[in-house]
Amino acid sequence: MPIRNLDKIFHPHSIAVVGASQRPLSVGQTVFQNLLDGGFQGPVYPVNPKHDRLGDHPCYAQIADIPGNVDLAVICTPAKTIPAIIEQCGEAGIRGIVILSAGFRETGEAGKKLEQQVRDLARHYSGMRIIGPNCLGIMAPYAKLNASFATDMPLKGNVAFISQSGALCTSILDWSLQENVGFSHFVSVGNMLDVGMADLIDYFALDPHTSSIILYVESITEARLFMSAARAFTQKKPIIAYKAGRFTASAKAASSHTGAMAGVDAVYEAAFARAGIVRVFDLDDLFDCAELLAKHKAPKGDRLAIVTNAGGPGVMATDALLERKGVIAEISEETISQLNEFLPGAWSHGNPLDVLGDAPPERFGKTVEIVLKDPQVDGVLVALSPQAMTDPTGAAEAVIQAAKTSQKPVLAAWMGGGKVHEGITRFNQAGIPTYTTPEQAVRAFMYLVTYARNQQFLYETPRAVPLNFSLDRIRLQELAQTALKQGQSTLSEQTSKQLLAAYGIPVNRTEIARSTDEAATLATELGYPVVLKIFSDDITHKTDVGGVELGLSNEQEVREAYEQIMQRVAERRPDARVQGVTVQPMIAEPEGHELIIGAKRDPVFGMVLLVGAGGTAAELYQDRSLELPPLNERLARRALESLQSWPLLNGYRGHAPVDIDQLIEVLIRLSYFVADFPELLEFDVNPLLVSPDRVVALDARIIVDLEEKQKPSRPYSHLAIRPYPEEFSRTATLKDGTQVQLRPIKPEDEEKWHELLGSCSPASIRARFRYSFHGTTHDMAARFCFIDYDREIAIVAELEVEGKQQIIGVGRLVADADHQEAEYAVLVSDQWHGQGLGSILTDYCLEVCRHWGIKRVVAETDPDNRRMLNVFQKHDFARNHSAEAETVSLVKELKLRAE
């Protein structure tokens, strides 16, 4: 539904207050008075059949009686009245609704049905948007709009606050007025019957007054939309989130190691990181963090220099930094030499830089200015403790002037009370973040670092991993369906390994023996030594019931082990249905390590991947990393590097590193597997043996949802992020007969993208980008190669030239958040002009638009670009004939494909 209809809510020209009242302290009276007192410029119509007038305002018995058009209705009446009021609003053409009333799904089943009734009614009125119900309301200071029952209007600012807790809103509002913190918008979302967080994030992304967003999150709905909106917003502006409800007992009911290790809060943590959201764990940090990120460029690294006039604050800052995994910057010899020229001989000669208790303002300022120039420093914290000879205000002014000489962040911790008050005021006026303790300042710096790390990871070009395997998806579906038809939600180890092997994940061969004789025969066939494991759908953790025997080296040992396993299992799990044992080759690697890899379907974010330290103690160590699929090389590597056991994998104290490249490839293949198999509920490979020479799954367990096939859903609805759209790949033929591959762009294409632009003339570059530039950068490439396939797509034309793949053209579509309109642009390498490639790319991109349901395609080009103007004319784009325009605007209305 169009986000631009949210203008009816946040920038209305007229408002009706349904349930307006003159009863003191009632919701209806408070909302009506807030709108008047807030200075709203348009008419405000009270609606209440019990009154003829409210003060100087005529009061209307029903919405139909209002004489003028109404953009926004704020509803304050009891829940049972809402359906009829929604119908009245719809018939009157009102498309913006805020429902403050409680009494919906939060009250139980009856309230849930009432909420659904309201939702169904609203769908009859095209373009109607609803915030609430059960919310505090909304406030937009720049529009002088206070459509809430809060007691005050927030100050103007650049932070949009979105909260799922109305009570928290009032507390935050009261605090913000005391601390002089302003907002661009202040929204209590309530039950999110219609307008959700994703809609608001998309809307505020277009708002010129919003430079950052703060989220108070209790739960997320529509995770795919949320992730897409958040990823788009954080490319340019920060989002800071506080997640309430961090702990749950749900892991107790998990059916696998992965299910037990991938707790609810850990999934939110992974999702926020993937979306580029900075998460804070203390409400006190929310606004400090938002203001800091909005006003300061993120540092390039985590190396902090600490300048102080006392040893204690320096030690405090150092402890806080190391605790949060920051780095004490190593001051270069050149910088130390410069400092030695003017600092007293007793200064610390290292970091923290203790400039001594008698430091005058000039010493502070000059030290900060020099340290900021050190290439080994990413940020500076200045900590001052007021001593007898200290001038806190003068020192603040000196630091302010020094900070102007660099783009690196400078933070201040002015410790004390009245003596430092004026210095803190000067810092605030200069926009330098100031804190009362070094620990607070360090925490703020590390939030900056987290934001920078997220951006770096999300847009760091992954190395291409040659996954040269073709998937016989028909055969895979047959294999999956055969498993599902067995009617068992837990697949056998043998079947689980067959599915993994189909995706190129190496597995240890597994055979089933249902008797002692069969076990002995299979062991001889496989070759000694072998492993025997209990085979039972009812037993998840085989070791716990004595169901594993390792290193069996002859037939006699196999026979004895079989009998012992059966006896132990019968004693410890007499209820279990036992079908026999599995027989596998025994794999022992002196330099090997046991990992666990797996996935689980989270009720909010869908499938989540896990990698961590494995073996029988996997749940005890809890050394794991979670990622949302799909994965590329960089994301898979990040997951591994975040493990505490990463040093062991990467070679520790003389031991050889494991085959990291193959391990990364296995994780990427796992990502393909979970994307293609929506029936998955949980699965894990534990252990996955990794060594310098190989990676192999020794055990596997898959749990499926037998009802999934009966649930209607769109493709990849079990994923929060749309995977690479392979379905948009095909071949095409140029005029000279050259065959090219058309396919969506991917992050691994960055080098080829640079080469394409390097092959284009300045005229071609200007015609495509509307400006000229010399050379391309990674930041530019990230914008065009790192694609959210739910919002945009770039179709590249690729061919092989002298044994190397080369991109010779690209057509790019960027859809609006509502998927109603898409911007289109195309670029073809100069040497391939005249071969019809621009027309081929345009044809195909228009086909993609129809597949997406896009209704309108717009484009711009240079008036002198006759070649592209002819292409657009051929494809029936209508041209804007404005003579004054420096560019030609074109538009094409699309007829959607018949279903």
Side-chain angles (χ1 to χ4, degrees), residues 9 147 149 281 329 339 351 400 544 680-681 719 729 842 876 881:
I9 295 176
F149 56 93
F281 293 91
L339 294 172
N351 190 14
I400 290 168
D544 292 354
L680 276 177
L681 278 178
L719 303 181
S729 298
T842 303
D876 299 322
H881 295 282

Side-chain angles (χ1 to χ4, degrees), residues 700-777:
R701 182 179 180 85
I702 292 177
I703 301 167
V704 297
D705 181 356
L706 297 174
E707 304 299 323
E708 178 65 27
K709 277 295 181 183
Q710 282 70 51
K711 301 174 185 175
S713 62
R714 61 173 177 164
Y716 302 109
S717 60
H718 61 301
L719 303 181
I721 299 174
R722 175 61 160 92
Y724 183 77
E726 294 181 9
E727 66 271 23
F728 292 134
S729 298
R730 65 166 59 167
T731 58
T733 304
L734 305 184
K735 288 181 179 179
D736 65 358
T738 300
Q739 293 279 311
V740 296
Q741 177 76 19
L742 303 181
R743 62 166 178 82
I745 203 167
K746 50 191 175 183
E748 291 87 343
D749 290 324
E750 178 175 342
E751 182 180 349
K752 287 180 274 191
W753 184 85
H754 287 297
E755 292 171 351
L756 168 64
L757 269 66
S759 72
C760 295
S761 65
S764 295
I765 293 293
R766 181 170 179 79
R768 163 60 182 89
F769 294 98
R770 321 300 328 130
Y771 60 90
S772 299
F773 51 80
H774 301 287
T776 54
T777 65

Side-chain angles (χ1 to χ4, degrees), residues 733 735 834-844 846 850 865-879 890-892:
T733 304
K735 288 181 179 179
Q835 293 295 326
L837 182 55
S839 185
I840 289 172
L841 287 168
T842 303
D843 268 332
Y844 195 27
L846 291 175
R850 292 185 180 94
N865 191 353
R866 302 306 310 171
R867 183 176 286 106
M868 279 315 302
L869 287 172
N870 289 337
V871 169
F872 288 128
Q873 183 178 7
K874 174 184 174 183
H875 289 84
D876 299 322
F877 278 75
R879 179 173 173 177
L890 305 110
V891 61
K892 180 178 176 67

Side-chain angles (χ1 to χ4, degrees), residues 415-460:
M415 305 169 67
K419 293 181 180 179
V420 300
H421 178 75
E422 180 59 27
I424 291 173
T425 300
R426 302 282 179 92
F427 277 130
N428 290 337
Q429 291 171 345
I432 291 179
T434 313
Y435 306 90
T436 56
T437 68
E439 291 95 337
Q440 290 176 325
V442 167
R443 196 163 60 213
F445 174 73
M446 289 309 297
Y447 284 134
L448 274 177
V449 170
T450 298
Y451 181 63
R453 284 174 177 169
N454 284 347
Q455 295 302 303
Q456 177 187 355
F457 277 124
L458 292 175
Y459 302 107
E460 184 174 345

Side-chain angles (χ1 to χ4, degrees), residues 571-589:
E571 293 171 353
R572 301 177 188 181
R573 282 293 305 274
D575 60 313
R577 295 165 296 173
V578 175
Q579 292 103 330
V581 300
T582 60
V583 186
Q584 306 171 32
M586 174 73 185
I587 298 179
E589 292 279 359

